[in-house]
Amino acid sequence: MRLDREGLFKAVPMAWDIYEAKSGAVAINIDFQILEQYDSGGWIDWRQCEVHNVSGSYYVVKKDGTINSETVRQLVEAMGWDGNLK
């Protein structure tokens, strides 16, 4: 089930692939499973509920061929990605 609300969530990546646009930009498409949601008093566990997921595209190479350093830094810090597209 797709996520149907805004908020702060803890999630785990479930699947990913590399997408190269006609422009030359390169994105990592990631599907995440929601684990918890933050609600003013703390984290609410979603693991016993129906599985919810969300996806996003993270452009790591810009259309001019340069590295999107900020996106790469965020993926490395948040998920421990080693920066390798292979």
Side-chain angles (χ1 to χ4, degrees):
M1 175 176 270
R2 300 303 280 173
L3 189 62
D4 62 354
R5 66 198 72 188
E6 294 181 6
L8 292 174
F9 297 90
K10 289 184 182 178
V12 62
M14 300 301 292
W16 51 89
D17 64 13
I18 306 300
Y19 168 75
E20 185 170 352
K22 290 179 183 178
S23 68
V26 177
I28 301 173
N29 299 319
I30 306 174
D31 293 322
F32 297 93
Q33 179 181 340
I34 301 300
L35 301 178
E36 299 179 25
Q37 179 182 12
Y38 187 77
D39 184 27
S40 65
W43 291 99
I44 299 169
D45 191 344
W46 281 37
R47 286 170 272 213
Q48 65 273 19
C49 303
E50 185 174 359
V51 174
H52 284 75
N53 47 19
V54 65
S55 60
S57 297
Y58 304 90
Y59 283 87
V60 294
V61 178
K62 300 176 186 179
K63 64 182 177 180
D64 65 5
T66 62
I67 301 299
N68 190 345
S69 300
E70 183 61 18
T71 298
V72 170
R73 182 191 66 75
Q74 290 174 358
L75 289 171
V76 168
E77 287 182 13
M79 300 192 333
W81 178 48
D82 66 2
N84 188 350
L85 290 175
K86 297 182 181 184

